[in-house]
Amino acid sequence: MPNLRRDPILDRWVIIAEDRAKRPRAFTSRENFAQIDPDEAEQACPFCPGNEHETPPEAFALRDHAAEPNAPGWSVRVVPNKYPALVRESVASLAGETDVLRSLANAPPMPAERSVYDSAPAIGVHDVIIDTPRHVTTVGELTAEEFALSLAAIRLRLQALAGETGINHALVFKNVGTAAGATLDHLHSQLMAAGTVFPLVAGEICGAANFYETHGECLFCRMIQLERINGSRVVAESAAFIAFCPFASRFAYEMWILPKLHASRFESMALENLADLASLARSAIAKIERLFQPPAYNLVFHTSPFDSAAIEHYHWHIEVFPRVTIPAGFEWGSGCAVNPVSPETAAARLREIDAH
Ligand SMILES: [Zn+2]
Ligand SMILES: [Zn+2]
Ligand SMILES: [Zn+2]
């Protein structure tokens, strides 16, 4: 049973989740994968059609009307993570009663410790969203139509979670490649949702609210205007979306994708914009994949908490961080990133790459 603990110095929450260490690691690098017969890989892959019994029963799926749940015939499948870092309240109370050893490990701090140490059961949702029944390993290998369907499933899942009590924020992310933390090759996203807003998004909302208070406009909308005027950091643009390398990029080739019109939540996006987003994001990410082989990157969706109505000061976006360099002593020790490639150089190189 995972456990939330608060760092009393930095007021920062950590999830202690020992079960995560039991995850299988299969076909994690492209080189290993290339040596495996593709049919054999699909037979062994828990995310391929025909192996639906190897995942927990699906939360929902986009599938042919005639097809049965937990059987082939789906286009996008959403299942609970088998090794969750956040669990439903019902599971949490069950685990506490039946698993003596773990409930000891997760016991609340001793009375003498409580003024310093704070902990709570890690309650929430941890889903896996399998983008496609095809055994592909990167976003660039999806068709724009497949990516649009996967984004549609994420949108529906967020809309469903927005109505759940005890859930206030969700982070959707993708780990592509072993170096980016992927443990299974078959392309998928994860969704983690909890009662509190995850710290990085909370920090962004706070910074954006301060800017709004002083300047009376959305900071992200202002950044989009500036990037379009300047142009040197823009990677690609479509009718409704823009991709650029942010001014203070933390990582080499870091790229953000935002709607050009103000919108604070991903799940409120108009359905007619899904195809535009899928097409722009897929080709912009494929550029990064062409530059670095084997590809290794993370993709995260930053969107408003569920408890607020649409807000004027926060603007949803997707962040992509290629794993080109490994954060080392200075970065971990100081909390300050050192980026060896300027966003202007990165965007110029990415613009030159033809990826459709
Ligand atoms: Zn597969
Ligand atoms: Zn905005
Ligand atoms: Zn962000």
Side-chain angles (χ1 to χ4, degrees), residues 15 24 31 35 55 75 91 146 155 169 172 181 244 247 252 261-262 281 287 293 303 308 345 353 356:
I15 303 176
E31 302 87 84
Q35 292 160 13
T55 66
S75 327
V91 178
E146 285 173 326
R155 183 175 168 277
H169 188 227
V172 176
F244 62 79
F247 175 74
L261 287 182
H262 182 80
K287 286 167 180 276
Q293 287 291 333
T303 181
S308 58
T345 305
I353 297 168
H356 289 289

Side-chain angles (χ1 to χ4, degrees), residues 16 21 23 77 108 132 136 144 180 189 212 273 277 301 312 324 345 355:
I16 309 287
R23 285 175 296 166
R77 191 161 180 258
T132 169
V136 298
S189 294
Y212 192 87
N273 282 341
L277 173 62
F301 290 67
E312 286 306 309
V324 181
T345 305

Side-chain angles (χ1 to χ4, degrees), residues 200-229 233 242 244 246-248 256 258-264 311-317 319:
L200 202 53
V201 176
E204 284 187 352
I205 292 174
C206 180
N210 289 341
F211 184 90
Y212 192 87
E213 213 166 277
T214 316
H215 297 89
E217 63 178 329
C218 164
L219 173 57
F220 294 87
C221 286
R222 185 82 184 113
M223 284 164 71
I224 292 168
Q225 279 171 12
L226 293 175
E227 295 306 330
R228 292 184 77 197
I229 295 166
R233 288 178 291 269
I242 185 167
F244 62 79
F247 175 74
W256 291 8
L258 305 89
K260 291 199 269 191
L261 287 182
H262 182 80
S264 57
I311 48 179
E312 286 306 309
H313 59 269
Y314 193 65
H315 195 122
W316 77 262
H317 55 279
E319 300 187 7

Side-chain angles (χ1 to χ4, degrees), residues 317-341:
H317 55 279
I318 296 171
E319 300 187 7
V320 187
F321 332 118
R323 296 298 191 98
V324 181
T325 55
I326 299 173
F330 178 74
E331 287 87 344
W332 287 113
S334 68
C336 175
V338 179
N339 176 356
V341 182

Side-chain angles (χ1 to χ4, degrees), residues 41-42 44-49 51 132-136 185-187:
E42 281 166 32
C45 171
F47 295 166
C48 270
N51 297 342
T132 169
R134 293 193 303 122
H135 192 95
V136 298
D185 266 35
H186 191 132
L187 188 69

